[in-house]
Amino acid sequence: MDESTMNKTVLEVGADGVGIITIVNPPLNLVSVDVFLSLKKSIEEAVQRDDIKALVITGSQGKFSAGADVTTFGKGIKARTDFGFLSIEFATDTLEAARKPIVAAIDGPAFGGGLEVALACHARISTSAAQLGLTELQYGILPGLGGTQRLPRLVGLPKALEMIMMSKRISGKDALKLGLVDAIAPRDTLLSTARQWALDISDYRKPWVVSLYKTDRLEPLSEARIILNLAKSQARERTPNLTHPLVCIDVIEEGIVAGPRTGLWKEAEALLQLRQSDTCKALVHFFFAQRATLKIPGITDMALSPRKINKVAILGGGLMGSGIATAFLLANYHVILKEVDHNLLLAGIGRVKANLRSHAKKGKMTKEKLETVSSLLEGVLDYDSFKDVDLVIEAVLEDVSLKQQVFADLEKYCPQHCIFASNTSSIDLNKIGENTTSQNRILGAHFFSPAQFMPLLEIVRTEWTSLQVLVDLLDVSKKIKKTAVVVGNCTGFAVNRMFFPFSQAATLLVERGADIYQIDQSITSFGMPMGPFRLADLVGFRVAVASGSQYIEKFKERVHKSYLIPFMLEDKREGQSTCKGFYLYDEKRKASPDPEIVKFVEKARRASQVTVDPKLSRLSAGEIVEMLFFPVVNEACRILAEGVAIRASDLDIASVLGRGFPAYRGGIIFWANFIGSKYICSRLEDWSRVYGKFFEPCPYLVEHAMKQIPLVMLSPLKDTLKTVDF
Ligand code: NAD
C-alpha cells in the first residue's frame, strides 16, 4: 500500500455544511499516532471553517477502527504526543470540547482506541452488525483514551465493567439497547443518518451530549462503591496473578470519586506504566504468536486451494469422538459417528446430543439451529455409508494394533480422495498407517479434551503427508473454529511430548518426599487450570498409562518410570470416573485430598528403591514450579532442535491453548526466555546430579545457556519433512 494513502484522515465537506472526516489506514484503520495528529488537525481546521456546521467521523472501507496498533504496546512512550496524553489533549480538549457537534458513524469494528474516539463524539450512529468493545485488558493495558471514564457515564457502571473487564465485544444492535449508540442505520444510509444527526445537534433539535460530564447513568457514590468492590473481588478471584484489571477498576473509581478529569490523568499515568509491564509484553507476544500460526512456510505459501469437505466420519463415540463430532456439527458438517455395538453407539450419540443441548442452553444456539444441527448426525455400526466420506477422524482406543486395523479397513471402504486423520495422543502415525498404502493421506488431528471447547488442533504431518491434505485440514480447522499448529511426527507430537515430563517430574518428586496436594496447589497458584495430579484424575489413569507407555518405550533412557499410578490402578482407582484417584470425589465431583494415598506412595517408593529426600518435603511453591516446568522447557528444546515444531512461538500457542499455560506468561518458551536459559540449564544440571538423567539438560538448551541467547535464536525455520504430492 502506498504510504501516502495510509495513516491519515481525510476531510470532505458536503453542500449541507457537514464535514466528513474519514480515518484512512487500511485494512483495519488502526489509530496510530499519525492518525490522531491528522484527526486533530482535521477537527481544528473544520472548527475554523465557516462552510462547516457540524462533523461526522467515520472509517474507510466500512470499518470504523479496530483500535491502536498492538505492535506499539509493550514499548516505552517516546513523546508527549503518544497515547497517554492524547486522552486529554486530543479526545477531551480537541474532540469533545469542539465548538461544532461531532457524530461518529460506525460500521465494522470499533475497538479500543477506535471506540474511545467515538465515545468522545457528541453522538454515535452505527449499523446493527457493527462490533464495539474496549478490548485493551486482553493486551495487559487499560483503555487509555478516556474509555474508563466515558463508558460508565454512557451505559452505567455494571455494564461498563462487564465490557471492560472481559474485553467483551458487542453488536451495534446490543449497543443501542445499552445506550452506547444513539441510533442504528442500515449500511447504505449510515452516513446520511449521521450527517442529519450532526445537523440536528447543531440546530438544537437533538441534545449535544458530552459523555465525560454525563451523570444520569452513573450510580450514586455509595452504590458505585459496592459495584466496584464486587468487581475487584471478582477480578482477584478470576485472575489472581494479574494487577492490570485492578488498576483499571481503581482508575474508574478515581473518576467517580474525584471527578472525570482527575480520572483521565490517572488513566494516562496507569497506561504509561502498564504498557511497559511484563504482562503486556507477554500478552502482546501471545497475540502475534497466534496470528503467526496462520502462516506455515512450505504449506500456506504454496498457492493450493482447499478442497471442499462435505461429509465427515468420526470413529469412536467415546469422550473424544463425541466432542469432535460436536465441534463438526456446530460448524454445520454432515457427521457420521461409528461405534462397535448398538449400546455404545447410543451412548455416543447421547453424549453428542447432550453437548449440543448444553450449547443451546447457554444461549449460544437457537432451538431451530439445535434441531438442524442434530439432524446432520448419523450413527452407524459398519462402513457401508463411508463410500462418499471426505474426511475420517479416528478416535478409537489408544491401542496400536486396533488403530492399524481400523486404518486398513478405512482404505477398503473410503473413496480415494478421503483424508484419514487420527486423534491419537501419542502413537507414531507411521506405525498407525503401516498396513496401508495410503500414507500420503494420513495425518494427525489431535484434539484436546473437551474437544468441542478446547481451542487447539495439533495437526501432525508425517514425512509422507501430502500438502493438499494439510491445506484441506487447515481449512477445516478454521471452519470448526480451532487454532491449528502444524507439527512433525514423533511420539507424543509437540504438546503431549512437551508436557509428559511435567507429570513425570511430579511423580518423581512425590516418590522422593514432596506432597501431592502442595504440588497441585503450587501449580494452580502459578496460573495453570489444575495441577498434575488433579489432571491425571480427570484424564483417567488408563488413558494416562496408555499414552505414557508410548513415551516411556521411545525415550526409555531418560524417563522416570513410576509405579504410583499402576499400583493405584491395581486397587481399582482410575481417577475421577471411579470417584477415586489422587483425590476423592463426591457426587457433585468435588475433589478432596485422600489420606489413604500415602499407602500407594510408600509402595511405589519401595518398588522404585528410592529414598526420601527431606529437602523435597520443604519445597517452596516457586521451587515446585521450577522443578515441574524446567523439564518441560528442556523437552520443548528437543522438539525445536529436531524441527518437530517449525517455530518456538508455536510451542507457546500449543502450551497455552492445549494445556492452559497462562497466556499472561506468554507461553512456555516466552516464559523460559524471561527466566533465562542460563538459570534453567544450571538448575537442571544441579537436579540431574542428585536425581538422575531425567533432569539432564539437552544440548540445544546447554548451547543457548552458554551463549546466553534466547531459546529461539539457534532454531531456523526448519522444514525438513518430506512431502509427496497428493
Ligand atoms: P474412549 O474410551 O472414551 O472412546 C473410545 C471409543 O472408541 C469407545 O467408545 C469404543 O467403543 C470405540 N471404538 C473402539 N473400536 C472401534 C472401532 N473399530 N470403530 C468405532 N469405534 C470404536 O477414548 P477417548 O478418551 O475418547 O480416546 C480416543 C482416542 O483419542 C485415543 O486414541 C486417545 O489417546 C485420544 N485422545 C484422548 C484424549 C483424552 O483426554 N481422553 C485427548 C486427546 C486424544
Side-chain angles (χ1 to χ4, degrees), residues 419-437:
I419 300 167
F420 299 154
S422 173
N423 182 48
T424 174
S425 309
S426 55
I427 306 172
D428 183 327
L429 289 158
N430 287 335
K431 263 195 210 171
I432 292 177
E434 226 165 59
N435 299 344
T436 73
T437 53

Side-chain angles (χ1 to χ4, degrees), residues 461-604:
R461 62 191 287 189
T462 72
E463 57 195 309
W464 310 109
T465 310
S466 94
L467 278 183
Q468 182 64 57
V469 163
L470 284 164
V471 168
D472 295 342
L473 197 61
L474 281 166
D475 188 53
V476 167
S477 69
K478 276 187 216 145
K479 297 201 166 111
I480 59 172
K481 297 198 170 72
K482 304 287 177 199
T483 297
V485 169
V486 177
V487 301
N489 181 31
C490 64
T491 303
F493 319 121
V495 183
N496 284 352
R497 179 173 164 186
M498 192 163 54
F499 275 87
F500 193 70
F502 177 71
S503 35
Q504 286 234 302
T507 46
L508 183 149
L509 293 189
V510 165
E511 282 172 16
R512 288 169 189 262
D515 178 69
I516 288 177
Y517 307 109
Q518 195 201 348
I519 289 180
D520 272 5
Q521 174 62 44
S522 306
I523 294 301
T524 47
S525 301
F526 174 77
M528 294 293 282
M530 58 185 81
F533 297 106
R534 180 74 185 78
L535 181 67
D537 277 1
L538 186 71
V539 170
F541 293 171
R542 291 203 182 276
V543 174
V545 166
S547 48
S549 65
Q550 296 294 319
Y551 192 92
I552 290 168
E553 188 188 318
K554 177 78 185 169
F555 304 112
K556 41 176 113 42
E557 73 292 347
R558 62 166 189 262
V559 293
H560 164 68
K561 195 160 180 343
S562 166
Y563 296 94
L564 187 51
I565 288 186
F567 283 151
M568 290 167 80
L569 270 172
E570 273 176 16
D571 200 50
K572 301 208 169 17
R573 282 182 182 242
E574 296 196 13
Q576 191 170 310
S577 62
T578 55
C579 295
K580 264 184 173 188
F582 289 103
Y583 293 79
L584 294 174
Y585 296 87
D586 65 16
E587 58 288 351
K588 287 185 179 152
R589 311 245 147 193
K590 193 171 174 299
S592 53
D594 182 358
E596 268 194 33
I597 221 74
V598 180
K599 190 174 80 183
F600 299 102
V601 174
E602 279 169 2
K603 199 172 165 193

Side-chain angles (χ1 to χ4, degrees), residues 173-221:
K173 204 168 135 205
D174 289 337
L176 179 68
K177 285 185 208 148
L178 292 186
L180 177 51
V181 302
D182 299 272
I184 294 286
R187 193 159 282 161
D188 53 355
T189 56
L190 176 67
L191 265 190
S192 56
T193 310
R195 294 182 104 102
Q196 189 54 52
W197 202 285
L199 286 172
D200 286 349
I201 297 178
S202 151
D203 294 339
Y204 305 104
R205 287 191 296 268
K206 287 222 159 47
W208 182 315
V209 179
V210 175
S211 323
L212 194 64
Y213 295 107
K214 214 169 154 333
T215 53
D216 57 325
R217 294 296 302 274
L218 210 54
E219 290 70 15
L221 188 56

Side-chain angles (χ1 to χ4, degrees), residues 170-482:
I170 60 170
S171 66
K173 204 168 135 205
D174 289 337
L176 179 68
K177 285 185 208 148
L178 292 186
L180 177 51
V181 302
D182 299 272
I184 294 286
R187 193 159 282 161
D188 53 355
T189 56
L190 176 67
L191 265 190
S192 56
T193 310
R195 294 182 104 102
Q196 189 54 52
W197 202 285
L199 286 172
D200 286 349
I201 297 178
S202 151
D203 294 339
Y204 305 104
R205 287 191 296 268
K206 287 222 159 47
W208 182 315
V209 179
V210 175
S211 323
L212 194 64
Y213 295 107
K214 214 169 154 333
T215 53
D216 57 325
R217 294 296 302 274
L218 210 54
E219 290 70 15
L221 188 56
S222 55
E223 204 181 311
R225 281 218 155 102
I226 295 170
I227 298 167
L228 289 162
N229 284 339
L230 180 68
K232 280 182 205 171
S233 60
Q234 283 169 343
R236 275 191 207 104
E237 197 174 314
R238 204 170 38 236
T239 48
N241 294 336
L242 296 181
T243 51
H244 70 284
L246 293 172
V247 170
C248 182
I249 299 171
D250 282 347
V251 166
I252 296 173
E253 186 166 19
E254 178 83 2
I256 292 170
V257 175
R261 215 159 159 104
T262 311
L264 286 180
W265 279 109
K266 185 155 175 147
E267 181 194 84
E269 276 164 25
L271 182 67
L272 275 172
Q273 298 294 324
L274 293 177
R275 275 170 60 106
Q276 298 173 69
S277 68
D278 294 333
T279 302
C280 175
K281 286 175 189 145
L283 287 169
V284 168
H285 165 78
F286 179 70
F287 171 77
F288 285 110
Q290 196 160 10
R291 293 230 310 215
T293 59
L294 297 172
K295 292 201 174 109
I296 307 159
I299 302 177
T300 52
D301 49 4
M302 295 305 278
L304 276 175
S305 304
R307 294 172 298 175
K308 188 146 175 38
I309 305 289
N310 293 311
K311 199 167 170 185
V312 181
I314 316 285
L315 297 186
L319 176 74
M320 292 308 293
S322 55
I324 297 168
T326 309
F328 275 93
L329 288 166
L330 289 173
N332 299 312
Y333 281 95
H334 179 179
V335 174
I336 299 179
L337 187 69
K338 180 181 176 298
E339 258 294 348
V340 283
D341 71 35
H342 188 67
N343 286 342
L344 286 165
L345 181 59
L346 279 185
I349 289 180
R351 271 189 283 274
V352 178
K353 294 213 163 151
N355 289 343
L356 292 174
R357 275 197 304 276
S358 128
H359 207 73
K361 219 169 158 187
K362 286 182 194 146
K364 292 182 184 164
M365 177 164 64
T366 60
K367 267 193 179 155
E368 295 73 45
K369 171 109 197 250
L370 174 64
E371 267 172 41
T372 318
V373 161
S374 305
S375 71
L376 295 172
L377 176 66
E378 186 188 339
V380 299
L381 292 173
D382 55 33
Y383 290 107
D384 287 353
S385 47
F386 278 51
K387 52 187 175 303
D388 57 348
V389 161
D390 304 306
L391 164 67
V392 178
I393 297 188
E394 168 276 309
V396 304
L397 307 168
E398 190 76 341
D399 176 318
V400 181
S401 48
L402 173 65
K403 288 192 195 271
Q404 285 176 336
Q405 179 57 50
V406 160
F407 273 73
D409 288 344
L410 287 174
E411 201 174 37
K412 275 191 242 150
Y413 295 101
C414 297
Q416 273 295 315
H417 73 272
C418 181
I419 300 167
F420 299 154
S422 173
N423 182 48
T424 174
S425 309
S426 55
I427 306 172
D428 183 327
L429 289 158
N430 287 335
K431 263 195 210 171
I432 292 177
E434 226 165 59
N435 299 344
T436 73
T437 53
S438 296
Q439 269 87 353
N440 59 344
R441 49 183 170 143
I442 292 179
L443 77 176
H446 185 208
F447 291 79
F448 294 80
S449 179
Q452 68 274 29
F453 296 124
M454 289 294 278
L456 184 70
L457 177 61
E458 185 178 31
I459 297 183
V460 188
R461 62 191 287 189
T462 72
E463 57 195 309
W464 310 109
T465 310
S466 94
L467 278 183
Q468 182 64 57
V469 163
L470 284 164
V471 168
D472 295 342
L473 197 61
L474 281 166
D475 188 53
V476 167
S477 69
K478 276 187 216 145
K479 297 201 166 111
I480 59 172
K481 297 198 170 72
K482 304 287 177 199

